Amino acid sequence: MAAVGSTAEPVGGGGVVLGAPAARGATSSARWVWPTGSHVVLRPWAAPESEYGPGHRGLDVAAAPHTPVVAVAAGTVTFAGAVGGRPVLTVEHGGGLVSTLDAVDPTVVPGDHVEQGAPVGTAVAGHCDPDEPCVHIGARLDGRYVDPAAFLPRAAWPVLLPDGTGVSTGRSVAGPPRPADRAGRRQARGCAVR
């Protein structure tokens, strides 16, 4: 769902583009680039209630296996290896800001300097369901996870709408639903229902 203070515009492919809300502290100019050619977010950031509580500490961006992945910003590779059986890449950007990319088969090694937009690996299966492959992008600032959307250009968020039969139509919407539209809606996994 759109956060308070955000805007929504329809886009092709059954999604909407949401403007980054002021509550996230986003600025008008993005500091990062998207790590894949996709701006479609399958699963957004979900802040945990406590430091070790459940949540989703990043964004899942649609990416088929073997999709080239690039550095979101210039920095130094500090980790390129397996975490929980999945390949993860970590880049330190200075000022306490770190990006993580999961599941990415790295083409770089710790100590390498990367420029923004430079290839760093390829997407592999592992973080998301095989029928919705993705690259997970995380951000840490001074050791604490933060919403990476604050550093990225606007995203295209997929929105699926039921057609009254409980089956999603793939139509896109822009703006909040009318009150009569709320009844009987089911949320598809990884998609916001408006």
Side-chain angles (χ1 to χ4, degrees):
M1 293 180 80
V4 174
S6 68
T7 61
E9 303 168 22
V11 296
V16 295
V17 175
L18 297 178
R24 287 189 194 153
T27 61
S28 60
S29 62
R31 295 172 60 179
W32 288 3
V33 297
W34 289 92
T36 67
S38 173
H39 296 195
V40 175
V41 175
L42 299 174
R43 184 174 175 201
W45 161 269
E49 290 185 25
S50 65
E51 186 174 0
Y52 300 105
H56 190 243
R57 293 167 175 85
L59 303 172
D60 292 347
V61 180
H66 311 293
T67 298
V69 178
V70 301
V72 297
T76 302
V77 176
T78 57
F79 181 82
V83 175
R86 295 191 310 250
V88 175
L89 179 66
T90 302
V91 177
E92 185 165 329
H93 305 290
L97 184 59
V98 174
S99 64
T100 58
L101 299 169
D102 171 13
V104 174
D105 185 20
T107 57
V108 293
V109 297
D112 284 355
H113 178 79
V114 294
E115 293 297 326
Q116 184 175 53
V120 293
T122 57
V124 297
H127 182 81
C128 291
D129 291 333
D131 58 339
E132 285 188 310
C134 75
V135 167
H136 175 86
I137 178 170
R140 291 191 319 266
L141 184 59
D142 297 326
R144 300 188 69 107
Y145 282 95
V146 295
D147 185 353
F151 304 102
L152 291 162
R154 296 185 329 168
W157 299 76
V159 176
L160 300 178
L161 297 175
D163 63 1
T165 65
V167 177
S168 296
T169 64
R171 293 178 296 133
S172 62
V173 298
R178 297 180 308 260
D181 290 342
R182 296 178 195 259
R185 294 236 171 142
R186 294 186 192 129
Q187 183 166 348
R189 186 180 177 285
C191 298
V193 175
R194 302 198 129 335

